[in-house]
Amino acid sequence: MKLLFKQRFFSWLDSYDIYREDGSSAYTVQGKLSWGHKLVIFDDAGRELGVVKEEPLTLLPRFSLCLQGREVGCIRKEFSFFRPVFHLDCLNWKIEGDFFEWNYTIADTAGIEIASISKELWKWTDTYVLDIREERNALCVLMIVLAIDAAKCSSGNG
């Protein structure tokens, strides 16, 4: 399954529209006023599904991931040279990014790819293509991409 992740051009807080391959709306993400980034994910019927919230006052960006009101883990950026490194403390997944912080791969601990994320260049706003192997992983992959995009923004790279 593929999802197209597009940041809205005119928005005071981070807001994103997530589309399926056929162009239909899959999710809407709304930024909420908070200390640090707080992104709330809604399905196409307007039901809240998850929250990605930046934990304030950390040396490197760190985000808690919540599904339906329950924290399921966190993702944090680690200090590294040349390539972005993120540590995910849930799902037994690992994340690897390229030098430019445009493309990422999410795999399980056995090395089986869960999803690949690529940034489309030459767009007015941040636009990513999420190629997800199994539809059941779509919401978790989306939460990870939101956290990575917010971390880039927090560090001035976004």
Side-chain angles (χ1 to χ4, degrees):
M1 123 178 254
K2 286 190 180 184
L3 294 175
L4 181 65
F5 169 109
K6 294 181 77 169
Q7 185 174 25
R8 291 186 188 158
F9 189 69
F10 292 107
S11 175
W12 288 104
L13 299 170
D14 294 328
S15 294
Y16 306 88
D17 294 308
I18 317 305
Y19 299 98
R20 295 180 186 90
E21 284 182 271
D22 66 5
S24 63
S25 177
Y27 304 101
T28 301
V29 179
Q30 296 177 358
K32 300 292 181 182
L33 196 55
S34 172
W35 185 264
H37 293 270
K38 181 178 181 183
L39 304 165
V40 182
I41 304 165
F42 298 93
D43 66 10
D44 57 352
R47 292 181 296 258
E48 183 178 313
L49 299 176
V51 176
V52 176
K53 185 168 183 346
E54 185 172 13
E55 296 176 7
L57 306 174
T58 57
L59 183 60
L60 294 171
R62 184 154 103 187
F63 297 84
S64 62
L65 308 175
C66 300
L67 289 172
Q68 297 162 343
R70 187 176 60 87
E71 186 171 332
V72 294
C74 79
I75 180 174
R76 69 178 186 272
K77 187 166 186 177
E78 295 183 349
F79 181 77
S80 64
F81 293 104
F82 306 116
R83 298 180 85 167
V85 175
F86 290 90
H87 176 78
L88 185 64
D89 75 352
C90 58
L91 303 170
N92 290 321
W93 293 357
K94 59 183 179 174
I95 305 162
E96 291 187 18
D98 68 3
F99 177 76
F100 295 106
E101 297 189 50
W102 291 335
N103 301 304
Y104 294 87
T105 301
I106 301 171
D108 65 16
T109 53
I112 298 171
E113 188 172 294
I114 304 295
S116 63
I117 296 95
S118 56
K119 184 172 184 175
E120 291 190 347
L121 303 177
W122 317 115
K123 301 287 184 178
W124 285 102
T125 61
D126 287 342
T127 302
Y128 296 90
V129 175
L130 288 61
D131 189 358
I132 305 162
R133 303 297 175 243
E134 296 181 31
E135 189 172 346
R136 65 184 172 94
N137 294 324
L139 182 57
C140 290
V141 170
L142 175 60
M143 292 173 71
I144 291 167
V145 174
L146 287 166
I148 290 171
D149 189 63
K152 288 170 53 177
C153 182
S154 292
S155 63
N157 295 336

